[in-house]
DNA sequence: TTATAATATTAGAACCATTCTAAATTTAAA
DNA sequence: TTTAAATTTAGAATGGTTCTAATATTATAA
């Protein structure tokens, strides 16, 4: 807990109770949840939790570089607790999002054609290994 | 016009008047318009045009591989008249979407970690050359 | 500590891009 | 020409996200 509080402070984020809960939930989640996934999960345990708080917190975290916003789904935004850029695979069948560890020189560029690059998102769309079998 | 009609037929799309108008509009547009951009532009010239028709047509075109859907903007979907995969740059300041011609071996993969890849989207986010100057 | 200002949280309303619906129209097939 | 199928239309419904105004909490100053 101590370290989580310090981590938020280091990133310039006031460590409120709600923010610590959201942060811990993100860390523990192995998936790439949407804001509503997080809201529903936390609401069950902490009934006072508000939807707006989840949205605000995710916005704050993203701005602070603590998490990453994934705009790879046409319906809703997903969040990734790993802030460093990496590729993703989005399964059209089961809708799961998988991290892809792959070395890619293009994704490391900080400048391209004179444009300043701050973030990169690379997503593969298709059918995942598991769904291919069924 | 003749060739546009044949092109749609070839792709298995019934070439209705509305679809031809949408297709021509996409071809002429140098940008990556949203469904609503297209609807508003066409509504001005053809007041009977319906929003649902634009959405239906874009869906049909995407399924037929005539256009590409870009889910790089968190707010709305953009459409690219070039169906073959290529990188994009999204300017956070002016919100413009630019095509990036870059050779990328990773983006050519049809299989990764056992998953079947059907599409790839790679987007750079940052500040474009023009906005950097201002 | 106490008072005051600034920030965060809450519930629910508002927003808005997209999808759905049912009726009317157009196109294709018999 | 008749009939069936597909397309288009206007507007309502949906649903993820943002906004609002009131309340609660936290930080700062006296």
């Amino acid at each position: 807990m101590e370290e989580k509080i310090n981590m938020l402070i280091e990133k310039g984020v006031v460590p409120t109770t709600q923010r610590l809960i959201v942060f811990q939930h993100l860390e523990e989640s192995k998936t790439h949840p949407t804001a509503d996934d997080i809201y529903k999960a936390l609401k069950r345990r902490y009934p006072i939790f508000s939807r707006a708080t989840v949205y605000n917190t995710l916005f704050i975290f993203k701005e602070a570089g603590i998490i990453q916003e994934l705009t790879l789904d046409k319906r809703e935004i997903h969040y990734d607790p790993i802030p460093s850029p990496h590729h993703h695979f989005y399964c059209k069948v089961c809708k799961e999002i998988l991290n892809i560890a792959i070395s890619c020189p293009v994704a490391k560029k900080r400048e391209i054609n004179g444009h300043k690059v701050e973030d990169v998102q690379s997503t593969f769309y298709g059918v995942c290994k598991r769904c291919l079998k069924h």
Side-chain angles (χ1 to χ4, degrees), chain A:
Chain A
M1 181 57 74
E2 185 82 14
E3 58 175 308
K4 286 187 183 82
I5 292 172
N6 288 331
M7 193 277 209
L8 291 185
I9 291 169
E10 254 176 53
K11 298 277 184 177
V13 175
V14 177
T16 66
T17 308
Q18 285 87 336
R19 288 175 183 172
L20 284 163
I21 292 170
V22 171
F23 181 60
Q24 177 161 331
H25 180 82
L26 274 166
E27 258 195 337
E28 288 169 355
S29 89
K30 298 279 186 294
T31 59
H32 299 79
T34 65
D36 214 58
D37 290 339
I38 297 167
Y39 168 69
K40 279 181 192 142
L42 296 183
K43 186 76 176 179
R44 231 179 297 131
R45 277 196 285 171
Y46 312 93
I48 212 200
F49 237 95
S50 162
R51 194 173 253 112
T53 301
V54 174
Y55 277 90
N56 288 339
T57 301
L58 292 170
F59 176 80
I60 295 278
F61 282 6
K62 183 200 67 179
E63 292 294 300
I66 295 168
I67 61 171
Q68 191 178 171
E69 214 175 59
L70 303 180
T71 57
L72 44 75
D73 183 346
K74 97 185 245 183
R75 308 183 64 99
E76 46 195 342
I77 298 163
H78 293 260
Y79 290 89
D80 192 330
I82 303 168
S84 56
H86 53 278
H87 290 62
H88 291 97
F89 183 90
Y90 181 91
C91 178
K92 290 175 179 179
V93 178
C94 68
K95 315 293 184 198
E96 209 170 338
I97 297 165
L98 305 165
N99 292 325
I100 299 291
I102 190 170
S103 148
C104 178
V106 171
K108 290 198 177 66
K109 287 183 167 291
R110 298 287 83 192
E111 180 276 332
I112 195 158
N113 294 3
H115 313 305
K116 184 181 166 212
V117 177
E118 291 169 355
D119 296 296
V120 182
Q121 265 189 74
S122 294
T123 312
F124 298 99
Y125 295 87
V127 184
C128 76
K129 187 161 46 174
R130 182 140 51 104
C131 289
L132 282 174
K133 284 185 192 157
H134 303 163

